[in-house]
Amino acid sequence: MKRSIIFLVLALMSLGVKAVPEYPISIVTSVCSEATIRANFPQALATAAFPLVLDDDGWMSGGSRELSHGFVESDLKDLERLLKAIKSQGTSYVYFALAPPRTLEKGKLIHGEYSNRETLKNAYLSLLSRLNDVGFLTSDLSKDMNTASPSFYFKRDTHWRPEGAKISAKNISDALSENKILNDIPLHSVESFINGYNIQSSDFFNQVMQDICGYKLPTEHAPNYESTPDVDADIFGDSLTPDISLIGTSYSENENYHFANFLRGYLQRDIVNHSISGGGEYGAWFNFFSNKSEDSTPPKIIIWELPSYSHPARYKHLRQIIPLVNNGCQTSESIAEITDTVTEKGKKEFIFDPALFGFKASELVMDIQSDDPQATSLSFRVWFDSGFYYDFTIDVIDADTADGRFVFELANKEWDYRGNILAIDLLSATYSSTSTPLSLTGNVCLNAFRG
């Protein structure tokens, strides 16, 4: 046997068997010089990713979207109107789950907007306080974020890892439990467990480096969680519809992060997840209200998840969401009716009706249905009896859920000093066809949540 092995080795040597191949390895320690030049970033990408920074531990950051902090008083008033409208439908509590700024985790502050971690943390807590003053339930979701192992957020992406989602779910559960608002909601057990390690980060910052520099770091991975629900829960209950709804972004919708099931587990209550990816601040709300049936029971608690860089009080969106709470003009008495057509760029007088002359713009809601489900925007000019006018455009909040319907307030109270409504012009429309007119029908009704 030994002789055979010796002969085999000698034979292989005589054939000149090649050694294991070698490959050069370069360790990436910095981004390329091109990634430090703003002109190399498309405008939409610059806000989110410029300047791109890579630290020695592989942590990447960029952009100026750490924390929305530019609220003015009118923003908060409109946000308060939304909350009052939601509660008027039967919901008792809305918990605002504002995910903490990503750079709080490692203190990786970017190009000077916040000089240190303490300043950023205080700004985050101040924003939570302002939301709390409006009437939302809030709590500090940055608490314990540095205990996440290996990290709360992915090193090279804007999303939280499952570990960060889990810590956030526990903090939310603790806050709701402390307020004793879960007591009347039926129990529902959910247990989560790790099944493999195959979740890939969406790699936002890493992909930006790939696009601009031509190279990137390895894609991060995370544990894959699965859950085993208590299938017998609520079988004999009064309702099979959970009393808690989750309204959120990809942080909540993407099952890779397991946030919804972590919430179920810590709350020991079932939830309905209405979150959607790519819908911005209000895409999930739009979907929630648009698909609500007249006989549906409102949830007792709504958990509204948003990343810290989102701005939840833009009137451009709130003017559409607030009247959708009670389905626009569908359940209200009509003041004026709309039946008209418009071309892509055709300015025309849309409404001149004496029935509207006695109203301020903030008192009225328009509910318009187009014959094109792919219609994405309508532009208007509102004339006041004082001679002033103002222009605005209504864009669909989420193109994936658009159905050709536009529901919106004509203005908020900030415009009441301009006087009463005189007329409304339709300046332009964006829709799928450029060769045929867009048909529009609808109503004008009173704004139930004017404030």
Side-chain angles (χ1 to χ4, degrees):
M1 181 67 179
K2 290 182 179 178
R3 183 176 297 175
S4 299
I5 294 174
I6 292 173
F7 281 137
L8 177 60
V9 172
L10 291 173
L12 290 173
M13 292 176 64
S14 67
L15 291 173
V17 175
K18 295 182 179 179
V20 175
E22 297 181 0
Y23 299 96
I25 296 176
S26 298
I27 299 175
V28 176
T29 58
S30 63
V31 298
C32 61
S33 59
E34 289 81 2
T36 64
I37 302 172
R38 184 183 180 89
N40 292 330
F41 290 74
Q43 185 59 37
L45 188 62
T47 300
F50 175 82
L52 201 59
V53 178
L54 173 62
D55 288 329
D56 54 9
D57 61 354
W59 183 274
M60 296 185 73
S61 59
S64 57
R65 301 192 308 170
E66 285 183 285
L67 183 66
S68 288
H69 58 289
F71 289 173
V72 296
E73 195 62 31
S74 61
D75 290 334
L76 295 174
K77 287 180 179 178
D78 290 329
L79 202 56
E80 185 175 18
R81 287 197 298 122
L82 171 65
L83 182 60
K84 288 182 177 179
I86 293 169
K87 288 186 174 182
S88 74
Q89 305 299 294
T91 295
S92 300
Y93 305 95
V94 180
Y95 175 94
F96 207 127
L98 189 68
R102 179 174 175 268
T103 49
L104 270 182
E105 179 177 5
K106 304 292 183 183
K108 308 290 189 183
L109 303 170
I110 54 175
H111 62 282
E113 184 177 10
Y114 297 95
S115 58
N116 55 59
R117 188 178 188 277
E118 182 180 3
T119 303
L120 177 58
K121 176 66 175 288
N122 289 338
Y124 172 65
L125 295 178
S126 175
L127 180 52
L128 292 179
S129 178
R130 299 188 78 180
L131 293 171
N132 193 246
D133 290 342
V134 167
F136 293 98
L137 295 176
T138 63
S139 61
D140 178 11
L141 296 189
S142 70
K143 183 179 69 172
D144 302 325
M145 73 182 298
N146 280 337
T147 67
S149 179
S151 60
F152 190 97
Y153 285 101
F154 283 103
K155 285 186 176 183
R156 294 177 284 278
D157 188 51
T158 58
H159 293 94
W160 53 23
R161 291 175 58 92
E163 296 86 355
K166 186 176 184 179
I167 289 174
S168 297
K170 184 179 186 305
N171 283 340
I172 293 169
S173 175
D174 290 345
L176 294 178
S177 298
E178 288 171 5
N179 283 277
K180 298 181 179 180
I181 64 177
L182 298 173
N183 296 351
D184 296 332
I185 298 178
L187 292 171
H188 181 98
S189 299
V190 173
E191 294 183 2
S192 295
F193 57 92
I194 294 178
N195 181 19
Y197 201 85
N198 59 351
I199 298 303
Q200 291 189 356
S201 162
S202 58
D203 251 11
F204 172 71
F205 292 115
N206 210 16
Q207 189 58 50
V208 172
M209 186 166 72
Q210 170 75 51
D211 294 344
I212 294 179
C213 298
Y215 56 80
K216 66 176 183 176
L217 276 72
T219 297
E220 290 180 88
H221 289 74
N224 178 52
Y225 280 86
E226 292 188 5
S227 291
T228 302
D230 178 2
V231 296
D232 296 325
D234 295 335
I235 287 180
F236 301 107
D238 295 332
S239 173
L240 295 178
T241 302
D243 291 315
I244 304 174
S245 288
L246 174 61
I247 308 286
T249 65
S250 56
Y251 282 46
S252 298
E253 187 273 338
N254 194 321
E255 294 183 1
N256 287 347
Y257 316 131
H258 208 71
F259 179 60
N261 273 330
F262 283 141
L263 268 179
R264 293 184 178 100
Y266 282 116
L267 293 171
Q268 298 184 60
R269 308 298 196 280
D270 198 8
I271 65 173
V272 181
N273 189 0
H274 299 280
S275 304
I276 63 173
S277 296
E281 292 90 342
Y282 286 99
W285 281 112
F286 182 83
N287 199 32
F288 174 69
F289 290 129
S290 296
N291 294 309
K292 184 179 65 173
S293 62
E294 292 184 10
D295 57 351
S296 62
T297 302
K300 294 179 181 178
I301 301 172
I302 292 177
I303 298 171
W304 182 10
E305 168 271 310
L306 271 184
S308 63
Y309 56 77
S310 300
H311 194 310
R314 289 191 177 94
Y315 184 62
K316 178 179 177 67
H317 295 155
L318 285 175
R319 74 185 311 165
Q320 298 181 66
I321 295 298
I322 292 173
L324 272 177
V325 175
N326 65 346
N327 201 14
C329 293
Q330 301 305 302
T331 57
S332 303
E333 183 178 352
S334 176
I335 298 174
E337 295 184 355
I338 302 165
T339 302
D340 212 334
T341 60
V342 65
T343 57
E344 188 179 18
K345 297 181 180 179
K347 176 184 174 182
K348 65 186 307 181
E349 186 176 81
F350 194 51
I351 299 177
F352 183 81
D353 191 328
L356 303 181
F357 289 175
F359 294 99
K360 306 288 186 184
S362 68
E363 295 179 285
L364 300 176
V365 165
M366 294 183 69
D367 190 338
I368 301 172
Q369 181 66 55
S370 74
D371 63 347
D372 183 357
Q374 297 182 51
T376 56
S377 71
L378 299 175
S379 295
F380 296 92
R381 173 169 293 169
V382 178
W383 291 93
F384 299 91
D385 57 10
S386 60
F388 286 100
Y389 70 86
Y390 90 102
D391 299 343
F392 67 95
T393 299
I394 296 296
D395 298 307
V396 297
I397 291 177
D398 179 26
D400 291 336
T401 59
D403 59 0
R405 186 185 180 199
F406 297 84
V407 178
F408 54 94
E409 298 176 340
L410 274 180
N412 61 12
K413 279 191 171 182
E414 298 293 309
W415 283 87
D416 280 358
Y417 76 97
R418 296 295 193 184
N420 290 348
I421 292 290
L422 181 63
I424 302 169
D425 293 343
L426 183 54
L427 304 181
S428 65
T430 303
Y431 56 107
S432 61
S433 174
T434 58
S435 59
T436 59
L438 181 70
S439 295
L440 303 171
T441 58
N443 297 277
V444 181
C445 62
L446 285 177
N447 187 353
F449 306 118
R450 179 185 177 217

